[in-house]
Amino acid sequence: MLNIPKSQPLPKLITSLNRYERKKNIGLAIRSFRAFINYEGVDPDQYLLVIAGGYDNAVTENVEHYEELLQLAEGLTNIRFLRSISNEERLTLLRYTDVQLYTPENEHFGIVPVEAMYMGCIVLACNSGGPTESIVNGRTGFLLDADDVSQWGKKL
């Protein structure tokens, strides 16, 4: 689980909650975070990206995609991967999250953005599918082009 330090200022927490599947576009979260922390004036030590979600060692795609994401995150010291978190861990993570990145394109309704908004998180989501029904762009979150990593990085 994510160790939340008690005695020092917490970093701003950016999360991505999805199953470890390619269709969830988790790489967009990592690429966006990398773009963000490379902006002038951004102190990378003040931010932490947590990739969390469903994972099953028996599912080949989960194992392969996790390895792909580790490679994509190479060189980033402020990223953590959590696999198969419990509901209690998920709730704790959302409680501390400042920004939730919801990266699947053309996803059905999708409960993650709604849960994140309920917990007071800012939500950045792809401008397609369910998030277009649950997020009021610029008011309850932000709807962004899935192909524009720089837009995601700037919005972060």
Side-chain angles (χ1 to χ4, degrees), residues 99-123:
V99 179
Q100 171 64 43
L101 303 178
Y102 192 68
T103 55
E105 290 184 78
N106 299 310
E107 184 82 351
H108 57 82
F109 176 71
I111 194 68
V112 171
V114 174
E115 291 173 331
M117 288 184 290
Y118 177 78
M119 297 296 289
C121 306
I122 297 167
V123 177

Side-chain angles (χ1 to χ4, degrees), residues 5 20 26-27 37 50-51 58 75-76 88 97 107-108 112 124-125 128-129 139 143 145 151:
Y20 282 81
I26 301 168
I37 64 170
V50 175
I51 306 293
L76 291 173
E88 183 179 328
T97 293
E107 184 82 351
H108 57 82
V112 171
L124 275 59
S128 64
R139 188 165 169 210
L143 298 169
D145 182 353
Q151 181 187 37

Side-chain angles (χ1 to χ4, degrees), residues 1-130:
M1 178 56 197
L2 182 65
N3 293 325
I4 307 291
K6 303 284 189 231
S7 60
Q8 60 188 27
L10 295 175
K12 295 288 184 186
L13 188 59
I14 301 166
T15 64
S16 172
L17 287 170
N18 286 291
R19 291 185 307 278
Y20 282 81
E21 298 173 353
R22 290 180 185 97
K23 70 180 181 180
K24 299 298 184 177
N25 201 16
I26 301 168
L28 174 59
I30 297 170
R31 290 189 302 277
S32 300
F33 183 70
R34 188 183 300 275
F36 167 67
I37 64 170
N38 285 324
Y39 281 117
E40 186 176 333
V42 174
D43 179 359
D45 294 333
Q46 298 299 310
Y47 300 91
L48 176 64
L49 174 62
V50 175
I51 306 293
Y55 180 91
D56 185 341
N57 280 319
V59 176
T60 302
E61 182 183 11
N62 287 184
V63 175
E64 291 174 352
H65 193 47
Y66 173 67
E67 291 299 323
E68 293 164 0
L69 294 170
L70 289 176
Q71 289 178 359
L72 185 60
E74 191 170 318
L76 291 173
T77 58
N78 46 353
I79 185 170
R80 303 292 179 272
F81 291 90
L82 305 175
R83 296 174 285 172
S84 297
I85 62 173
S86 68
N87 285 333
E88 183 179 328
E89 290 169 323
R90 177 187 174 99
L91 183 61
T92 299
L93 184 59
L94 282 172
R95 186 174 295 125
Y96 285 95
T97 293
D98 295 290
V99 179
Q100 171 64 43
L101 303 178
Y102 192 68
T103 55
E105 290 184 78
N106 299 310
E107 184 82 351
H108 57 82
F109 176 71
I111 194 68
V112 171
V114 174
E115 291 173 331
M117 288 184 290
Y118 177 78
M119 297 296 289
C121 306
I122 297 167
V123 177
L124 275 59
C126 290
N127 190 15
S128 64

